[in-house]
Amino acid sequence: MSKPNGHLRIPDASPDTPASYYYGEGDIQPPVPEEIEQKLRKVGGVNDLVSDLANRIQREVAERKQAIGGVDHMWVMLSDITDFNPACTSVVTLRDHVTVEMLAEQLVKQGEKFPRYRQRLDNTGRLLHGATFVDDPDFNVLDHIRVMRLPEPAGKRELDALVGEVIAEPWDLERPLYNMVIVENYHDDDGAKCAVIAKGHHTLADGQGFVISQLYITSYYDDLREMMDGAASKISKAKRGLLLPSEYNKSLKPLDRYSSNPLAAPLIQLFLGLLFWISYVFSTIVSIFWSTYQAFRLATFFFLTFWRIEMVVDTPPASQRSTKREFSSSRVFSLQDVKLCQQAFSGVRPGAAVAGIPKDQRKNVRSKVKHVTLNDVVCSIMVDVLADEIKAKPAPRDAWGKLKREINKVLPSPIPLFVPISIRAPGDWSMRNLSTGSNVYLNPSPNLSTSNVSIREIYEHIHQCRHELSLFKHSAWPKACFHVLQLSGQAPVIFPLSWFPKRNEHKWYVRVMRRFVLKPIADACLQSCKCSFAS
């Protein structure tokens, strides 16, 4: 037997030659056959591994689908860094008494329609996974209802004070994030016999979504549903060219009679569909142009004013910051009054929108140029009210406050308002934050606080505010920022406020970053506007 080139060459041998004859002591011994059961165990282990991996992927996908949006999560992170209390509040006055049992019955129905009312937050504080709403196993609707009484005379002033106290109450993130308060002895001149205060955490929904969910338990729900669903249906038809030509533009009214013609109708439908989408593309291009201009103005005003903003209320030292809140509601104004303002101040000059039109035909008049909206009128009034309130404040006593007031006398000092923008599609009833927004910087009128003010001065002031608000309305940046921020719902690490959570304050560098970096920046952004305006 020889081993040329390291290979074993076996000479002729009888079948009875033992295997040991061919192997020396240094040779590799033949492998020992494995037991069948051992092989099966190995195969079973691989299957278990694959099954476990599949289950993990399935859970991951489910968590990703259930994760709340980045804007929803932003409110949780913002309140973790600052003392900001993110609350949506509604107050309803009723002409009949409401019992706990009556309200509880309606809230059960509400929870079936909007499940977040019986769910609590879970998975908060993770960097690569968004928070989710999960069913609370201990949920009891009665735990979210309180009955309170106002001190006499139990009118509007006392109710406003109570609402302020309710808004200021802290949140317990371990339970469903809403509360209801029945004020059983409230009364007013309109015949109200009680009031109901509803408060929900902003992570549940934006203001519009919260109000929609509250109206669900009222008699107005059916009218609201019909209105919202009707708007959604109309938009869907407009995209496909299925509306009457006059519904796209009044100048197309002569084409209405051809909409039912078997030959002309398809051509008109194609024309109207193309008209809609061409208009949409054109408006998008215009929006991108104005967005750049508006973003530049916004950034300029922000950096020129955020450090010298004078708040309407006094700001105490950080160590003495009040946890209380104030609430007040204005008298309801009629939409007829708004229409009168629109008719008086729309157009190229005061009264131009209704010039030559009889009074009985002015109801639906709309100016083709420089049309004044509800927001234009209300914002122009609000900016003057805020300016007068600040002007009436006592002179500041600290050095920084005195310096800011002197600087504001020299530099332009527009009033910043934060104006929300709803991007909720008509017919969307979901409880989510589907709003974005931006600061708008409006200049108060120097003369409107005096009694000798001309109609022309009022017109110029309203249209100056209208111009600024028009830039804001046509800007695409707030919507783009909304969609970018939504991504942080899947990975909160995208949002800097999540990097140093409060639960890690036992680490010195987390305390330093929270106190000297994140909190000052967040407070500066929150205080960069004097008020938030919603309509």
Side-chain angles (χ1 to χ4, degrees):
M1 180 179 66
S2 62
K3 300 180 181 178
N5 299 325
H7 296 281
L8 183 66
R9 184 169 59 85
I10 303 176
D12 296 337
S14 66
D16 297 329
T17 304
S20 60
Y21 174 82
Y22 304 107
Y23 294 93
E25 293 182 358
D27 294 327
I28 300 176
Q29 299 298 319
V32 178
E34 294 181 322
E35 296 289 341
I36 295 179
E37 291 182 347
Q38 187 176 358
K39 288 185 177 182
L40 292 176
R41 281 198 299 269
K42 285 187 176 182
V43 174
V46 173
N47 287 340
D48 291 342
L49 180 63
V50 172
S51 177
D52 181 64
L53 180 61
N55 290 335
R56 287 176 180 270
I57 294 175
Q58 188 176 7
R59 286 196 301 269
E60 180 75 12
V61 171
E63 284 187 7
R64 295 291 180 185
K65 287 182 178 180
Q66 297 171 3
I68 63 178
V71 179
D72 294 343
H73 199 198
M74 177 193 69
W75 299 109
V76 179
M77 293 187 288
L78 195 61
S79 57
D80 181 73
I81 292 292
T82 69
D83 57 0
F84 180 68
N85 189 333
C88 297
T89 309
S90 69
V91 181
V92 180
T93 58
L94 305 168
R95 291 193 175 96
D96 202 353
H97 291 287
V98 174
T99 65
V100 172
E101 291 75 16
M102 293 167 60
L103 182 58
E105 181 181 357
Q106 294 301 316
L107 292 182
V108 170
K109 296 178 182 178
Q110 184 187 54
E112 294 173 353
K113 175 70 175 180
F114 304 99
R116 286 191 177 185
Y117 278 119
R118 46 184 172 81
Q119 295 177 328
R120 60 177 179 83
L121 278 173
D122 192 23
N123 286 330
T124 58
R126 301 172 68 182
L127 293 179
L128 299 178
H129 290 78
T132 58
F133 276 101
V134 297
D135 290 337
D136 183 5
D138 301 321
F139 174 73
N140 186 337
V141 70
L142 296 178
D143 294 337
H144 298 269
I145 301 176
R146 288 180 293 169
V147 179
M148 302 184 72
R149 295 182 62 85
L150 298 173
E152 293 299 332
K156 180 180 180 301
R157 184 182 297 273
E158 292 73 26
L159 178 63
D160 288 349
L162 176 61
V163 174
E165 295 176 7
V166 172
I167 293 175
E169 292 174 349
W171 292 102
D172 180 3
L173 299 183
E174 298 298 322
R175 60 197 300 266
L177 300 175
Y178 82 101
N179 289 299
M180 307 287 287
V181 179
I182 299 176
V183 186
E184 59 181 5
N185 67 329
Y186 171 77
H187 54 268
D188 59 23
D189 296 336
D190 293 328
K193 295 182 179 179
C194 77
V196 177
I197 305 170
K199 176 190 173 186
H201 197 286
H202 223 317
T203 198
L204 291 175
D206 53 20
Q208 190 178 37
F210 182 73
V211 170
I212 287 174
S213 69
Q214 292 303 309
L215 291 176
Y216 178 76
I217 62 176
T218 69
S219 58
Y220 182 64
Y221 167 72
D222 292 334
D223 294 335
L224 178 67
R225 181 179 59 182
E226 182 179 353
M227 180 177 62
M228 292 185 65
D229 292 345
S233 175
K234 188 172 183 178
I235 290 178
S236 177
K237 290 180 179 179
K239 293 178 179 179
R240 295 176 290 163
L242 297 179
L243 297 178
L244 289 174
S246 59
E247 295 183 87
Y248 289 88
N249 193 295
K250 291 183 179 179
S251 62
L252 299 177
K253 188 173 179 61
L255 297 178
D256 285 358
R257 59 180 177 174
Y258 299 107
S259 298
S260 57
N261 186 292
L263 297 178
L267 295 177
I268 292 177
Q269 180 180 341
L270 177 62
F271 166 73
L272 294 175
L274 289 174
L275 180 65
F276 176 88
W277 289 108
I278 290 173
S279 301
Y280 176 80
V281 172
F282 178 76
S283 63
T284 301
I285 295 173
V286 172
S287 177
I288 293 174
F289 171 77
W290 286 114
S291 296
T292 305
Y293 176 63
Q294 190 262 350
F296 175 78
R297 285 174 59 87
L298 176 65
T300 301
F301 278 121
F302 176 82
F303 287 109
L304 288 178
T305 61
F306 82 90
W307 49 274
R308 56 187 178 93
I309 292 287
E310 280 197 73
M311 305 305 292
V312 176
V313 296
D314 292 326
T315 304
S319 60
Q320 302 176 12
R321 186 175 177 85
S322 175
T323 58
K324 297 181 179 179
R325 296 293 182 269
E326 292 184 3
F327 174 86
S328 182
S329 57
S330 65
R331 290 178 298 174
V332 176
F333 53 85
S334 170
L335 287 178
Q336 185 61 35
D337 294 338
V338 176
K339 289 183 178 180
L340 288 175
C341 290
Q342 290 176 328
Q343 294 172 359
F345 298 109
S346 293
V348 295
R349 62 184 183 278
V354 293
I357 300 177
K359 283 188 176 181
D360 58 345
Q361 300 178 18
R362 295 179 180 179
K363 182 177 180 180
N364 296 317
V365 171
R366 179 185 176 94
S367 177
K368 294 182 179 180
V369 294
K370 293 189 174 183
H371 177 70
V372 172
T373 66
L374 166 64
N375 285 0
D376 299 333
V377 175
V378 174
C379 285
S380 64
I381 295 172
M382 287 181 61
V383 70
D384 286 326
V385 171
L386 292 172
D388 286 345
E389 287 291 325
I390 294 171
K391 187 177 180 180
K393 286 179 59 178
R397 290 174 291 182
D398 61 304
W400 177 237
K402 293 178 181 178
L403 179 61
K404 285 198 299 184
R405 178 157 290 193
E406 293 301 319
I407 293 175
N408 288 340
K409 292 179 181 179
V410 179
L411 296 179
S413 301
I415 303 293
L417 304 179
F418 183 83
V419 183
I421 305 174
S422 174
I423 59 174
R424 183 182 296 270
D428 187 342
W429 294 83
S430 61
M431 281 195 71
R432 294 181 293 163
N433 280 276
L434 294 172
S435 295
T436 181
S438 173
N439 278 4
V440 177
Y441 293 85
L442 305 178
N443 289 305
S445 172
N447 301 321
L448 288 186
S449 58
T450 65
S451 57
N452 298 322
V453 57
S454 67
I455 294 178
R456 186 68 192 185
E457 287 176 317
I458 298 176
Y459 173 88
E460 293 293 343
H461 175 56
I462 291 177
H463 278 270
Q464 186 183 50
C465 294
R466 184 194 67 82
H467 173 71
E468 293 294 333
L469 289 168
S470 179
L471 291 176
F472 161 75
K473 294 171 188 174
H474 290 89
S475 176
W477 286 116
K479 295 179 181 178
C481 292
F482 170 85
H483 292 294
V484 171
L485 186 56
Q486 280 291 80
L487 296 177
S488 66
Q490 295 294 329
V493 69
I494 298 175
F495 202 57
L497 293 183
S498 67
W499 297 349
F500 304 97
K502 190 174 184 178
R503 70 175 188 276
N504 291 338
E505 275 193 328
H506 60 278
K507 302 175 182 178
W508 67 269
Y509 64 89
V510 173
R511 291 196 302 272
V512 170
M513 291 298 297
R514 286 175 60 87
R515 180 176 180 182
F516 297 106
V517 179
L518 292 182
K519 190 175 188 305
I521 293 176
D523 285 341
C525 292
L526 289 173
Q527 296 174 11
S528 65
C529 60
K530 284 188 169 63
C531 75
S532 174
F533 170 67
S535 67

